[in-house]
């Protein structure tokens, strides 16, 4: 990601100033001549053995001293970060060869102008309510800016605090907006660390010499105000935090931010419009990020409360088609065909019928990994929006919370659930002759499937009939069967969209709805139940699009 991160400060004497800037320099291509070497530092160059090198934490970066940018002699302590003659910092990404260079000012004159304007705007006109917090501004000519303003405690400053901001500047507006939650989370961590460190220094200074009482008891005039504070109009951030390696730490933080922000989002080529599963996954990821930001804003950085181990595990597994973590070992179901072979044709059809109808599927047994793998293959029968899974729970969860529920062997199912026709219970029992290392599910486990439903499962739905034909065909590999299932789901999801538009949006009568179902080849009871259940899994994006199209005048 071609971006730049800078720490800015509003000086009482000189106005907005850039304190520290980190930019990414990409390695030149073989056909392009290399860039000229960095300018030598102002003053004697340090010998090579004195170059500082260290490994960046978790990002594969090596940091060493670099050439120094020119320092302005008229800077006060508050406007200066690195002392005159300081060589600055360079971190080299060993994976990509990208160099992350940190100086007080950008090396290129064009970038200097862009960062200077972003600094002035972030600390003057572009201010969010309360003056502290994130804001977005910019244009195509001067770049787009994500800015987070904040205050640092200073016992010698007006109002006992100084105003700072961290800005990220890039020309890619869409990328910057999509990175908003990520940037906000990590910049708040950096800012909170600075504020907490400065607050300790502030409290210790106030204990030694309370400035508020001294100012109240002394004569005040604007001309002598700087002299009343010890002869210094501004203090450096290093003095405010008493951090001996402040700029090296900020360089590591900014370098990691640029590297992580550039690698977290990748472009993918999509053939045609995104599917409903893709839209639902995007919406759920957005909701999780917004929920995290909301908790951080409301609780001052406190993490949101956990929803329980079982539910969080289900959420992590939801985005994957396979078993998460390491390679599965022991007793696991590999595919739908494998599950059908283990359970038997009739038992598998009954279980798949309950899944497609939206009934609650409960697995109870001593092996959570086996239950997890069963849910992984069974969830492939449904659209993503229809799946609500809790693979491991120590108590029964109601059907409105999950349609896939895994229970321990000692957990009892309430009578109203076991006697309901809208649920199916699969009890997994270990056989006595099974060894711990035995990976043969048929010899190691016994499966008992019970349900109070009296509905016949041998007629439909049509999707299940076609799927079983593919599973029974030994000439089709597992991958081919998976693609067949994907095509069947897309076909029936299109029928769901037609039914939703016809019945929910247009509000057609029941007789007309039956005609459209017959036209779609889905007039049978099982097919209708499937379509109505799948309708609940439509994305909010698609529903809002249809609703807005109806409201627009023709």
């Amino acid at each position: 990601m071609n971006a730049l991160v800078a720490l800015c400060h509003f000086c009482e004497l000189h106005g907005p100033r850039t304190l520290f800037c980190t930019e990414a320099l990409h390695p030149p291509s073989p056909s392009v001549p290399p860039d000229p070497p960095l300018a030598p530092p102002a003053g004697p160059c340090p010998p090579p053995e004195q170059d500082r090198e260290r490994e960046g934490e978790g990002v594969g970066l090596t940091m060493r001293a670099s050439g120094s940018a020119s320092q302005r002699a008229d800077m006060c302590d508050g406007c200066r970060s690195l002392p005159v003659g300081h060589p600055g910092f360079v971190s080299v990404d060993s994976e990509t060869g990208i160099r992350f260079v940190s100086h007080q000012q950008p090396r290129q004159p064009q970038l200097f102008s862009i960062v200077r304007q972003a600094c002035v705007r972030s600390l003057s006109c572009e201010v969010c309510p309360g003056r502290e917090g994130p804001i977005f501004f910019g244009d195509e000519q001067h770049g787009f800016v994500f800015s987070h303003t904040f205050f640092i405690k200073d016992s010698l400053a007006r109002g006992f605090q100084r105003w700072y901001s961290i800005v990220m500047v890039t020309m890619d507006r869409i990328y910057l907006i999509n990175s908003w939650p990520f940037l906000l989370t990590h910049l708040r961590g950096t800012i909170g660390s600075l504020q907490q460190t400065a607050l300790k220094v502030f409290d210790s200074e106030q204990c030694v010499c309370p400035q508020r009482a001294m100012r109240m008891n002394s004569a005040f005039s604007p001309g002598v105000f700087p002299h009343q504070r010890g002869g210094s109009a501004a203090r450096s951030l290093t003095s405010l935090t008493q951090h001996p390696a402040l700029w090296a730490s900020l360089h590591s933080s900014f370098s990691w931010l640029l590297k992580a922000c550039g690698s977290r989002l990748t472009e993918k080529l999509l053939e045609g419009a995104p599917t409903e599963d893709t839209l639902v996954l995007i919406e759920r990821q957005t909701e999780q990020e917004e929920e995290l930001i909301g908790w951080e804003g409301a609780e001052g950085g406190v993490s949101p409360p956990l929803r329980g181990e079982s539910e969080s595990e289900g959420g992590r597994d939801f985005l994957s088609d396979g078993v998460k973590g390491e390679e599965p070992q022991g007793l696991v179901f590999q595919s739908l065909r494998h599950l059908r072979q283990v359970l038997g044709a009739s038992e598998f059809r009954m279980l798949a019928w309950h899944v497609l109808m939206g009934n609650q599927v409960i697995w109870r047994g001593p092996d959570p990994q086996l239950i997890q793998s069963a849910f992984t293959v069974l969830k492939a029968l449904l659209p993503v929006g229809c799946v609500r899974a809790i693979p491991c729970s120590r108590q029964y969860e109601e059907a409105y919370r999950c349609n896939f529920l895994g229970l321990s062997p000692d957990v009892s199912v309430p009578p109203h659930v076991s006697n309901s026709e809208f649920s199916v219970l699969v009890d997994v029992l270990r056989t006595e002759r099974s060894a711990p290392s035995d990976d043969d599910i048929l010899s190691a486990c016994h499966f008992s499937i019970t349900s109070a439903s009296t509905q016949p499962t041998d007629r439909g739905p049509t999707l299940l009939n076609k799927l079983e034909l593919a599973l029974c065909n030994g000439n089709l590999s597992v991958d081919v069967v998976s693609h067949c299932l994907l095509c069947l789901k897309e076909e029936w999801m299109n029928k769901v969209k037609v039914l939703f538009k016809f019945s929910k949006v247009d509000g057609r009568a029941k007789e007309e709805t039956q005609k459209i179902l017959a036209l779609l080849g889905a007039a049978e009871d099982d097919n209708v139940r499937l379509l109505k259940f799948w309708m609940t899994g439509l994305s909010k994006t698609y529903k809002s699009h249809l609703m807005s199209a109806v409201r627009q005048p023709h």
Side-chain angles (χ1 to χ4, degrees), residues 434-446:
S434 62
S437 60
D438 192 1
D439 59 353
D440 187 1
I441 300 180
L442 284 174
S443 60
C445 299
H446 173 70

Side-chain angles (χ1 to χ4, degrees), residues 79-373:
C79 297
R80 180 180 293 114
S81 55
L82 304 178
V84 177
H86 192 283
F89 303 98
V90 172
S91 292
V92 182
D93 186 355
S94 58
E95 299 176 356
T96 61
I98 298 176
R99 294 180 298 163
F100 298 94
V101 183
S102 293
H103 292 287
Q104 174 139 1
Q105 304 289 351
R107 298 171 60 228
Q108 302 179 15
Q110 183 181 3
L111 290 179
F112 176 85
S113 176
I114 292 176
V115 174
R116 172 63 179 168
Q117 185 181 43
C119 171
V120 172
R121 293 182 64 177
S122 68
L123 294 172
S124 57
C125 52
E126 306 290 352
V127 182
C128 65
R131 300 187 72 182
E132 281 191 293
I135 196 169
F136 176 85
F137 59 88
D139 52 54
E140 296 287 348
Q141 180 180 0
H142 300 95
F144 299 94
V145 181
F146 174 91
S147 171
H148 196 299
T149 54
F150 60 98
F151 290 102
I152 294 291
K153 283 291 186 179
D154 181 6
S155 60
L156 301 181
R158 291 188 179 98
F160 300 103
Q161 59 187 8
R162 297 191 183 275
W163 199 12
Y164 292 84
S165 70
I166 297 179
V167 297
M168 172 173 277
V169 186
T170 181
M171 302 303 294
D172 194 337
R173 177 176 61 90
I174 301 300
Y175 204 113
L176 191 59
I177 292 176
N178 290 336
S179 301
W180 178 287
F182 175 81
L183 293 174
L184 188 60
T185 300
H186 292 282
L187 287 183
R188 278 180 173 172
T190 302
I191 292 170
S193 178
L194 289 173
Q195 290 177 329
Q196 291 296 326
T197 307
L199 182 60
K200 295 179 181 179
V201 178
F202 174 82
D203 292 338
S204 63
E205 292 178 348
Q206 289 292 86
C207 292
V208 175
C209 181
Q211 290 290 323
R212 187 179 300 274
M214 186 176 68
R215 294 182 191 181
M216 294 292 293
N217 297 328
S218 62
F220 172 78
S221 63
V224 299
F225 182 72
H227 302 282
Q228 293 175 346
R229 294 176 292 158
S232 176
R235 301 170 66 187
S236 65
L237 187 59
T238 306
S239 174
L240 296 179
T241 59
Q242 296 296 320
H243 194 303
L246 173 65
W247 305 115
S249 299
L250 283 179
H251 167 77
S252 298
S253 177
F254 290 171
S255 299
W256 179 89
L257 186 65
L258 288 174
K259 175 179 170 63
C261 195
S263 60
R264 63 179 295 270
L265 296 179
T266 57
E267 295 182 352
K268 294 183 179 180
L269 179 62
L270 297 178
E271 299 179 359
T275 62
E276 280 297 304
D277 287 357
T278 303
L279 293 176
V280 172
L281 288 176
I282 294 175
E283 291 173 355
R284 291 188 176 181
Q285 182 179 3
T286 304
E287 290 176 356
Q288 292 174 357
E289 292 176 348
E290 291 177 350
E291 182 180 359
L292 178 61
I293 294 173
W295 272 99
E296 289 179 347
E299 303 294 336
V302 178
S303 300
L306 299 177
R307 300 181 181 179
E309 180 182 357
S310 59
E311 190 168 345
S312 62
E313 288 287 338
R316 287 198 299 268
D317 175 71
F318 183 76
L319 300 179
S320 174
D321 293 331
V323 180
K324 299 284 278 187
E326 301 177 352
E327 291 295 329
Q329 299 178 356
L331 302 178
V332 292
F333 293 104
Q334 304 293 340
S335 62
L336 284 172
R337 176 175 288 170
H338 184 209
L339 180 64
R340 186 173 184 269
Q341 292 172 352
V342 172
L343 297 183
S346 60
E347 300 291 336
F348 171 81
R349 183 179 180 87
M350 180 177 70
L351 183 62
W353 182 88
H354 282 279
V355 172
L356 293 173
M357 295 299 105
N359 297 337
Q360 189 177 37
V361 179
I362 306 172
W363 281 63
R364 185 169 57 184
D367 193 342
Q369 186 178 9
L370 179 65
I371 297 176
Q372 175 81 19
S373 64

Side-chain angles (χ1 to χ4, degrees), residues 473-523:
N473 192 340
N475 296 324
L476 301 181
S477 64
V478 174
D479 292 337
V480 173
V481 173
S482 299
H483 283 83
C484 290
L485 177 59
L486 181 62
C487 295
L488 288 173
K489 288 167 59 178
E490 285 297 313
E491 175 188 354
W492 282 84
M493 205 63 194
N494 290 332
K495 296 180 181 181
V496 171
K497 294 178 180 180
V498 173
L499 181 61
F500 179 81
K501 174 67 168 61
F502 196 83
S503 60
K504 301 297 182 181
V505 179
D506 296 343
R508 300 297 182 91
K510 184 177 181 180
E511 293 77 10
E512 295 180 344
T513 303
Q514 290 296 329
K515 293 180 181 179
I516 195 65
L517 288 173
L519 184 63
L520 295 174

Side-chain angles (χ1 to χ4, degrees), residues 353 356-357 459-465 492 495-496 499 517 520-534:
W353 182 88
L356 293 173
M357 295 299 105
R459 297 179 181 177
T462 306
L463 184 148
L464 181 57
N465 296 333
W492 282 84
K495 296 180 181 181
V496 171
L499 181 61
L517 288 173
L520 295 174
E524 295 80 5
D525 292 341
D526 287 347
N527 289 328
V528 174
R529 285 188 60 181
L530 182 146
L531 292 177
K532 290 183 177 180
F533 171 55
W534 284 26

